[in-house]
Amino acid sequence: MVTAQTAGQRRELGDFVRSLRERLTPQDAGLPAGRRRRTPGLRREEAALLAGLSVTWYTWLEQGREISLSPQALARLAAALRLGRAERVYLFELASKRDPEQPHRESTSAPAAALASVDLITTPAYILDRAWTALCWNAPARHLFTGWLDGQADRNLLRFIFLEPAARSFIHDYETRAKRVIAEFRADVSSYLTDPEISDLVDGLNRQSELFARYWRDHAVLGREGGERTFHHPVDGFLRYEQVTFALVGHPDLKLTILRRA
């Protein structure tokens, strides 16, 4: 039996797998549409068949029961549901299993040299911890992120985005960016959902932000990617940046983000 999983992890795993199944159409999976369906997604028995699993086992998985989960069964399920890289990582981390196709993640702690190096970067740069709270940032980042990295504001990026009213006007295309941020955060914290720091953060945001609660219920998972970021700065006006994000070598829970003026 899986003793490393908590009841909360098992429920999240079941909800996540169910949401993926419901999004995958028979055509996506190479199956005939068949008779008329109540919903466009796969049925449980179809998902089980594609993954080479028993319907009972698959049903218990979605129900969050404490069942035996082998890496091989999870790998077949990931292939059947056509998971992307971030979704696959999330699946295995929720199941407290090591993906045979992925290298082992190292333990992390904040390296002082990396934190001190941020000031050497001439464009906005900051480092986030596991909970997406800024550990350090440079002067250009302090100037850019008014309401977050200036003054005495809460340094958590999610609380800034979803609880700070000014964020809605500061972040261009706010709802699209907010939705993606949640999917990226879920992928990042899949192994730590029951940690008090993470669970308190998520519970608080679910209570305080209807938008966060709505997007969190979607169970979307995406890898943190770079690309264009646009802002409406209260002093500098419309700004366009290219963002790159790095996981620090030996410290994958820490993220260094750098924004270069586009």
Side-chain angles (χ1 to χ4, degrees):
M1 302 298 287
V2 182
T3 57
Q5 282 182 289
T6 65
Q9 272 183 281
R10 292 195 300 272
R11 286 194 299 270
E12 171 65 16
L13 176 60
D15 289 343
F16 178 58
V17 170
R18 186 184 65 251
S19 71
L20 292 168
R21 171 179 60 82
E22 291 174 346
R23 294 176 201 170
L24 191 65
T25 67
Q27 292 83 355
D28 292 334
L31 297 174
R35 63 183 184 277
R36 188 170 181 179
R37 295 168 178 262
R38 295 179 182 176
T39 60
L42 293 181
R43 300 185 180 94
R44 281 178 174 173
E45 57 268 27
E46 291 171 330
L49 176 65
L50 288 170
L53 307 171
S54 74
V55 176
T56 299
W57 186 95
Y58 181 86
T59 300
W60 286 354
L61 174 65
E62 284 199 2
Q63 291 174 345
R65 297 197 190 188
E66 190 174 359
I67 58 175
S68 179
L69 298 166
S70 73
Q72 293 75 22
L74 289 169
R76 294 198 304 271
L77 181 62
L81 296 178
R82 302 196 171 191
L83 302 194
R85 182 187 59 81
E87 292 170 329
R88 184 182 176 106
V89 170
Y90 189 64
L91 175 75
F92 275 86
E93 291 187 340
L94 283 179
S96 299
K97 294 292 181 179
R98 181 179 175 184
D99 185 347
E101 296 185 9
Q102 297 295 330
H104 182 64
R105 290 180 63 180
E106 302 175 50
S107 60
T108 64
S109 59
L115 301 181
S117 297
V118 172
D119 276 335
L120 303 178
I121 301 171
T122 59
T123 60
Y126 55 87
I127 291 178
L128 299 180
D129 68 7
R130 169 185 300 182
W132 286 28
T133 297
L135 297 177
C136 65
W137 53 93
N138 60 11
R142 184 182 304 112
H143 175 77
L144 173 62
F145 292 104
T146 58
W148 177 36
L149 298 181
D150 63 332
Q152 300 300 316
D154 191 316
R155 305 306 187 194
N156 183 268
L157 179 57
L158 290 169
R159 291 195 186 102
F160 166 67
I161 292 173
F162 291 97
L163 302 182
E164 173 56 52
R168 288 181 172 268
S169 57
F170 171 69
I171 299 170
H172 180 68
D173 195 11
Y174 172 81
E175 292 209 5
T176 299
R177 291 301 312 154
K179 185 174 184 178
R180 182 174 183 91
V181 161
I182 289 179
E184 293 173 344
F185 179 72
R186 185 185 286 275
D188 255 12
V189 301
S190 56
S191 295
Y192 318 113
L193 286 173
T194 58
D195 283 9
E197 181 182 23
I198 302 300
S199 60
D200 288 350
L201 173 64
V202 171
D203 290 346
L205 287 166
N206 271 317
R207 290 193 305 270
Q208 295 172 275
S209 170
E210 186 278 332
L211 186 66
F212 179 92
R214 182 182 359 133
Y215 289 155
W216 187 255
R217 288 193 299 268
D218 287 345
H219 295 275
V221 174
L222 292 169
R224 187 165 172 80
E225 297 177 353
E228 185 178 85
R229 300 291 185 270
T230 47
F231 308 98
H232 296 282
H233 193 271
V235 174
D236 299 338
F238 183 76
L239 299 173
R240 188 187 307 274
Y241 289 90
E242 288 293 322
Q243 177 179 299
V244 290
T245 299
F246 305 93
L248 303 186
V249 174
H251 306 275
D253 287 350
L254 302 182
K255 291 163 286 296
L256 168 63
T257 296
I258 301 173
L259 294 113
R260 181 182 66 85
R261 194 72 175 267

